[in-house]
Structure formats: structure tokens, C-alpha cells
Amino acid sequence: MDLEFSNEEKAFRLEVREFIDARLPAETRRKVIGDRPLAKAEIVEWQRMLNERRWATPSWPKEYGGPGWNAVEKYIFLDELHQSGAPEPLSFNVAMLGPVLIKYGTEKQKRRFLPRLAKLDDWWCQGFSEPGAGSDLASLTTQARREGEHYIVNGQKIWQGMGHWADWGFFLVRTDPQAPKKQAGITFLLIDMKSPGVSLSPIWTIDGRHEVNSVFLDDVKVPIENRVGEENQGWTYAKYLLSNERTNIARVGLTRRILGKTRRAATTNGLLETPLFKAKLARIEIMLDAVEMLQLQILAGQMRSNEADPRSSLLKLKSVEVRQAASELLMEASGNQGLSMTSFEAGQRPPVDEGDEGWSASAVCFNSRGASIYGGSNEVQRNIVAQTLLDLGRG
Ligand SMILES: Cc1cc2nc3c(=O)[nH]c(=O)nc-3n(C[C@H](O)[C@H](O)[C@H](O)COP(=O)(O)OP(=O)(O)OC[C@H]3O[C@@H](n4cnc5c(N)ncnc54)[C@H](O)[C@@H]3O)c2cc1C
């Protein structure tokens, strides 16, 4: 088996790297490398630069404004972004909703929304989870009842990533409470976050950041034309979206960047000379290589069939385990400095200019903890792997 990239692929990687070097604003790169939060305007500015070359939508076909890349090109592109400190295109827009609209949306929805998703004219958030429906997402209770040409939506969602920046949200709502199977009564709606009756409250996380929110929907009027696909068939579209979300969470290049930081810190303080530390680092690097191979296989399969791939659960699980192991090793390599974030209580924002490497190590470590939960928790991914890939636990 030849695991080397071809000369063409290496040339493509160089092209991406040169573009990033030429166009990525220095301040944006500094913040990403230093694990500092970016302003919305910085993310939008960069996505628009990518979109000028059709690079903001790496997995979209050419006819919808994508670059028409194969699996390896898409992989190389994202890997270069992550490793070089460039923000990736907003995944809610281009990795989650875009492919759903391309596969299941009406022509009118495609024309209306796809160009704006790519250009980040509209920032989207994901309204799936509820206080009583996370892992068991199909138990969701947010209700939508038909009234003329509208749905009237009532309920509460939770954990909406960057919802406070969102112009629009894609939501799962219950349209048939009497359906024989709970999965059968769910509909996929596009909701304008400026609609009367939509409100948000922030949730502060242990890394001191405001990324997630609760969203409240109180008699929100949603035109029927904002429904994706058929009424009560939303579960099918959600499964497709979640499969893409899980593949996207892998972020091998990001883990490589964390390992690069770890190596630099351990070189400076001499830790890299110790056999135990060296062995830990090598183990994580080998696991990461295996995750990279799995991701390439899944991407290749998706490009061929465009169907949900159950191996995305395995990829999500292993890639998150490797990233968390890498970020814990970074903390270890950072020594006492790595503890500096622990002086902040949850809900308290750390000073923006807290500039030492240790701050960054603990921020990376704490932030990576959420990855075992979002996109479907690791335990649930293990259940899916057992049932769909290993054929265990049925009947
Ligand atoms: C940082 C972050 C960002 C998020 N962003 C979004 C977002 O943008 N939009 C959105 O809709 N949601 C988002 N989520 C929500 C996320 O998808 C849910 O938190 C997740 O699905 C788990 O649901 P829950 O929190 O209700 O936990 P629960 O489902 O209550 O699970 C609690 C624990 O029980 C375990 N468990 C549950 N069921 C089983 C089972 N059958 N077998 C074994 N163990 C089980 C879980 O693994 C977990 O450890 C985000 C979450 C986080 C942490």
C-alpha cells in the first residue's frame, strides 16, 4: 500500500500553503496559533478570501460553487489550514447545512441560501439538542404546528455553538407527536434568528469562553417554504448532516499543530530527552497517523456514494481521543505554566492578553474536553460502532 502523496498532491499542498502565506491576515494567524478567540469579522473576512477561489466550500460540487476536489485534495486543503493557523470555513454553513441543501433542498432554497452560506453573508447555528434530548436526540419536544402558510414553533434548544453570532439556524422540531416511532415525527426547519420570539442566553464554559448558548423559541412564525425536504422526514436529513459533522470533527491538522507545540515546549525544557515522554509522544503520533488514514478512506467513500458512513462514528471517537491525549501532553510539557487557566472560575472571562504559552496550553486542553460530547458523545459513538460496524448488541 502506497501511503505517500503523489507529486501533484504535493504541488497542490504547496499551492494552498502559498495562498495562506500571501493572504491570511497576520493578526488572524497570530490569534489562531496562540489559541485566542477570533472576532466574527476576522472569520468572515478570511472565508470571503477563500470563497473568491471557491475554496470556502471544499466538499461542494462545482455546479454549486465548490472546487470539485477529490477526497485527497479536500483533506490536504483542510490539513494545511489547520496546521498553518488559518480558520477553517464555518462548518455550520459549509460542512453541515450546505450538503443537506444540495442533497435535499428545493431549487429555490439552493439559489437563495447556498451562495450566502459560502460567502458567509449569513452565519448559521445548529438547533438540534434540547435539555431533555441530547444523546437521545429523537426525543426532542420543540413543537411546530401548522397555521396556514406557516409553522408556529415553541420550545427550548441548548448548546447552540456561536448562536449569538448567528443570523439563521437549522432546527429539528416535532411536527407529529403521535407518530408511531419518535424519529418519524421530526421536521427540519430553517429559522431566521431575528424572527420575533427567538431569544438566547449565554453559557460560559470552563475555558472562560462564551461559545455556546440556550435558544428559546416562543410562538416563532416560520414560513413553510423554509422547511427542508418533507414534513416528518427530518430525521433522515439530520442523520446525513450528523455524519458530515462527525467526519469534520476529526481535524487531524489541528492535532498535529498541538503536537508541534508540545514538541517545541518539551525541547525547550529538556523533557523530550526523557524516554517516558518520548514514548508518550510517539504513541500519540502513531495513533494520529491511523486516524488520518481512516479519514482519507471515509472521505474517498463519501465522494463516491455521498451517503452517511457509519465509520464516521469511529473516526469521531478516535480523533477526539487523540486530540485530548495530545492536549493533555501539551499541558504536561508546559509544566507549572500549564496550570495558569485553573485560576479562572467557570463563567469568568480570562484577561484577553494573558499571553503566555501556559495559558494557551490549558485553554486548548479545556476546550478539547467538549469534543467528546458534541457531534454525539463518545459513548454513543461506541454504541453505533458496536451496532453498525461490529453487528453486536442487536436483538
Ligand atoms: C461544546 C459543545 C458544543 C455543542 N454544540 C452544539 C450545537 O451547536 N448545536 C446542538 O444542537 N448541540 C450542540 N451540542 C450538544 C451535544 O450534541 C450534546 O451535548 C450531546 O449530544 C450530549 O447530549 P447531552 O448533553 O444531553 O448529554 P446526555 O445525552 O444526557 O448524556 C449524558 C452522559 O450519558 C452518556 N450516555 C447517554 N446515552 C447513553 C447510552 N445510550 N449509552 C451510553 N452512554 C450514554 C453520554 O455519553 C454522556 O456521557 C454541543 C455540546 C457541547 C458540549
Side-chain angles (χ1 to χ4, degrees):
M1 188 178 174
D2 185 7
L3 298 179
E4 268 290 300
F5 288 112
S6 69
N7 284 339
E8 290 76 29
E9 287 158 356
K10 286 179 190 160
F12 173 67
R13 186 182 281 279
L14 200 62
E15 184 190 346
V16 174
R17 194 172 297 171
E18 283 172 358
F19 176 79
I20 295 170
D21 286 345
R23 300 291 304 277
L24 179 66
E27 179 61 6
T28 303
R29 187 194 290 250
R30 191 189 69 79
K31 285 186 180 172
V32 174
I33 298 278
D35 297 293
R36 303 296 184 277
L38 289 169
K40 181 178 179 180
E42 290 169 318
I43 298 171
V44 173
E45 180 190 20
W46 174 239
Q47 181 152 330
R48 288 188 179 161
M49 286 184 207
L50 291 175
N51 194 46
E52 284 166 19
R53 309 191 73 161
R54 294 174 162 245
W55 286 7
T57 50
S59 57
W60 294 12
K62 267 191 174 151
E63 56 187 301
Y64 293 113
W69 284 333
N70 64 28
V72 176
E73 287 165 329
K74 179 186 165 187
Y75 178 80
I76 288 173
F77 171 71
L78 289 175
D79 193 54
E80 271 304 310
L81 290 187
H82 290 141
Q83 290 206 56
S84 60
E88 68 182 78
L90 186 66
S91 57
F92 297 118
N93 284 33
V94 303
M96 295 193 219
L97 181 61
V100 168
L101 288 181
I102 289 171
K103 195 167 155 100
Y104 300 107
T106 60
E107 279 312 309
K108 192 174 168 197
Q109 287 170 339
K110 288 177 195 174
R111 273 199 311 278
R112 178 178 175 195
F113 291 115
L114 289 178
R116 299 182 65 85
L117 286 170
K119 204 164 160 232
L120 205 32
D121 285 335
D122 301 317
W123 187 292
W124 285 75
C125 70
Q126 178 186 28
F128 281 15
S129 308
E130 296 180 4
S135 303
D136 185 13
L137 185 59
S139 292
L140 60 94
T141 59
T142 292
Q143 288 249 355
R145 64 183 153 79
R146 283 280 281 267
E147 232 181 65
E149 289 305 297
H150 289 86
Y151 289 100
I152 307 296
V153 184
N154 280 286
Q156 187 197 335
K157 296 288 176 179
I158 193 167
W159 304 118
Q160 279 55 63
M162 306 320 284
H164 50 297
W165 285 357
D167 305 292
W168 283 81
F170 46 92
F171 284 77
L172 292 181
V173 297
R174 185 157 301 284
T175 33
D176 182 3
Q178 260 74 54
K181 263 180 83 186
K182 55 190 178 184
Q183 286 84 353
I186 293 172
T187 296
F188 194 114
L189 288 185
L190 309 177
I191 299 184
D192 184 340
M193 298 295 281
K194 291 180 287 303
S195 310
V198 177
S199 58
L200 272 84
S201 75
I203 300 172
W204 290 87
T205 44
I206 193 172
D207 55 0
R209 290 183 186 179
H210 171 203
E211 287 184 356
V212 284
N213 303 273
S214 292
V215 173
F216 302 89
L217 302 146
D218 187 12
D219 280 337
V220 179
K221 245 177 129 177
V222 181
I224 286 176
E225 65 176 19
N226 289 0
R227 183 186 72 215
V228 175
E230 292 175 42
E231 190 171 273
N232 297 326
Q233 296 301 312
W235 190 248
T236 304
Y237 320 138
K239 276 196 301 185
Y240 176 65
L241 182 146
L242 287 170
S243 165
N244 287 332
E245 180 181 0
R246 283 170 195 150
T247 309
N248 211 52
I249 286 173
R251 299 191 172 99
V252 169
L254 172 59
T255 307
R256 284 212 195 286
R257 183 149 56 75
I258 296 171
L259 285 176
K261 267 188 179 178
T262 309
R263 202 174 257 285
R264 280 194 299 281
T267 305
T268 309
N269 62 22
L271 206 53
L272 199 61
E273 298 305 312
T274 64
L276 184 59
F277 188 91
K278 239 193 237 174
K280 284 185 193 170
L281 186 61
R283 188 165 177 275
I284 297 172
E285 283 175 344
I286 291 165
M287 278 163 60
L288 188 59
D289 285 346
V291 165
E292 184 176 35
M293 289 301 122
L294 178 62
Q295 178 161 26
L296 280 167
Q297 284 175 19
I298 294 173
L299 284 173
Q302 276 175 351
M303 294 267 173
R304 276 196 303 274
S305 78
N306 199 21
E307 295 298 328
D309 187 335
R311 288 177 305 173
S312 63
S313 291
L314 182 60
L315 177 68
K316 194 260 166 178
L317 174 64
K318 297 317 283 182
S319 62
V320 165
E321 283 179 358
V322 176
R323 185 146 72 249
Q324 290 175 340
S327 64
E328 279 164 27
L329 198 63
L330 175 61
M331 282 277 269
E332 193 178 323
S334 305
N336 288 345
Q337 277 197 333
L339 299 174
S340 56
M341 271 283 293
T342 52
S343 59
F344 298 104
E345 288 176 18
Q348 225 190 328
R349 206 172 169 70
V352 178
D353 273 334
E354 200 62 42
D356 60 86
E357 277 284 313
W359 185 92
S360 141
S362 45
V364 170
C365 192
F366 287 148
N367 195 273
S368 77
R369 300 311 308 168
S372 22
I373 302 291
Y374 58 71
S377 78
N378 281 8
E379 288 78 13
V380 169
Q381 302 318 306
R382 285 192 186 91
N383 288 346
I384 297 174
V385 168
Q387 286 165 6
T388 60
L389 296 177
L390 302 175
D391 206 19
L392 298 171
R394 281 190 218 270

